Amino acid sequence: MNLLFTLIGIVAFAVLAPCIGCLLAGLDRVISARMQGRVGPPLLQPYYDVRKLLQKEAASVNKVEDTYITCALVLSIVAGGIFFSGGNLLFSIFIITLSGLFFIVAAYSSRSPYAEVGAHRETLQVMAYEPMMLFMAVAFYLASGTFNSAGALFFAVPAVTVLWPVFLGFMFVLTIKLRKSPFDLSYSHHAHQDLVKGITTEMSGPTLAKVEIMHWCENVLFLGWTGLFFIWANPASIVLAIVVVLAVYFLEIWIDNNFARVKWQFLLRSAWIVALVCGLVNIGFLMYL
């Protein structure tokens, strides 16, 4: 039965996540344009861009690049399906990390100097945020007694009431996961940065379209992790979680438009310090209780 629920969740996530992620990406562009005093593109511009990419002729520097990207996309969908079907949070984190590794290998396979620099930076970003992700899963297990995300539905109060240090740490690395400035080292879309879209430099057409769809799915999954902190036994908590998720996404857009990129040394050092302080302190407190 659990396997059936997981399969249903994966299929549902594969259908709904790209739609929701596309709308979020369009909303991001509209809000960013307003913050910068511009009219900006229409809400569905990300969809138009991806549709145009899918219509282009497939062109790649090698045959394996598209294969790696396809694997990364499939794994991101599987990770989202596992989480939203109430499955294992830790397993979902491992799978989305594996998806990121396929993305990195795809960039390395092109042998382009710009793509390799982007891949180097993407690897540093994974090293920066992964400890906090693991601490989040462990803390959730100590608070609920299970790694399953459905365990939040049995809380008498929101998980954030006992996991607020972990939540603060997660908010810090969420900026990295959503690829927002000041931590958009490998996948920046700003022309004033030293390396624009570095990791996807050699990707085009349908391959680049898959990358964009994967990014949409990842955003939905990461925001789902955010909402997990505000879910409890009351069905009305779902509304609260959605409101908080939208507020957090707006905050990330504001940060993206108001902070310049930092050096990778600061990224790695600050993310690890936040993970050690927020993650270990919260885990130690839960173990003591």
Side-chain angles (χ1 to χ4, degrees):
M1 185 63 69
N2 290 335
L3 178 59
L4 178 61
F5 283 150
T6 301
L7 292 176
I8 293 175
I10 291 173
V11 173
F13 188 82
V15 174
L16 297 177
C19 299
I20 299 173
C22 178
L23 293 176
L24 289 174
L27 187 64
D28 186 340
R29 293 190 185 185
V30 171
I31 295 176
S32 295
R34 295 295 189 271
M35 289 181 176
Q36 298 168 12
R38 299 183 289 108
V39 175
L43 181 64
L44 293 180
Q45 187 61 48
Y47 164 72
Y48 301 141
D49 293 342
V50 169
R51 185 179 66 179
K52 184 177 181 179
L53 288 172
L54 290 172
Q55 293 172 348
K56 290 182 176 293
E57 180 182 357
S60 174
V61 295
N62 55 53
K63 296 181 180 180
V64 298
E65 182 184 69
D66 185 66
T67 302
Y68 287 137
I69 293 300
T70 301
C71 290
L73 173 60
V74 171
L75 287 172
S76 66
I77 292 174
V78 171
I82 290 174
F83 172 77
F84 283 102
S85 63
N88 194 298
L89 174 62
L90 184 62
F91 193 36
S92 177
I93 292 173
F94 285 152
I95 292 180
I96 201 64
T97 301
L98 182 59
S99 170
L101 294 180
F102 270 104
F103 187 31
I104 293 171
V105 173
Y108 276 126
S109 69
S110 67
R111 307 308 300 170
S112 164
Y114 295 106
E116 288 195 2
V117 171
H120 292 332
R121 294 180 176 182
E122 184 74 13
T123 304
L124 288 170
Q125 289 181 194
V126 173
M127 292 172 60
Y129 66 66
E130 196 63 22
M132 190 65 241
M133 296 294 98
L134 298 178
F135 288 153
M136 178 184 72
V138 172
F140 181 80
Y141 172 80
L142 293 174
S144 64
T146 177
F147 279 115
N148 291 341
S149 58
L153 298 175
F154 299 97
F155 283 139
V157 293
V160 72
T161 56
V162 293
L163 299 180
W164 62 266
V166 166
F167 177 72
L168 293 178
F170 174 72
M171 286 295 97
F172 185 87
V173 300
L174 182 64
T175 307
I176 308 174
K177 299 288 284 181
L178 294 179
R179 304 184 184 280
K180 300 295 186 184
S181 186
F183 300 139
D184 55 342
L185 301 183
S186 68
Y187 195 66
S188 172
H189 59 277
H190 297 298
H192 64 270
Q193 303 285 23
D194 64 323
L195 187 67
V196 179
K197 292 288 187 179
I199 195 170
T200 58
T201 299
E202 300 299 327
M203 300 177 189
S204 61
T207 301
L208 188 57
K210 293 176 184 177
V211 172
E212 292 298 321
I213 296 173
M214 179 183 69
H215 185 46
W216 296 347
C217 294
E218 288 177 341
N219 286 351
V220 173
L221 174 59
F222 303 151
L223 293 176
W225 291 350
T226 305
L228 183 66
F229 287 90
F230 297 89
I231 296 291
W232 74 96
N234 190 339
S237 64
I238 297 177
V239 177
L240 173 63
I242 294 175
V243 171
V244 171
V245 163
L246 292 177
V248 167
Y249 195 65
F250 177 82
L251 176 63
E252 293 293 341
I253 296 173
W254 181 84
I255 293 173
D256 186 42
N257 285 275
N258 286 277
F259 291 89
R261 178 192 288 175
V262 298
K263 295 182 178 180
W264 69 265
Q265 293 91 338
F266 178 83
L267 164 69
L268 198 60
R269 181 173 60 251
S270 60
W272 282 2
I273 291 175
V274 168
L276 289 174
V277 173
C278 295
L280 289 183
V281 168
N282 205 163
I283 290 174
F285 175 74
L286 291 172
M287 293 180 67
Y288 175 75
L289 288 180

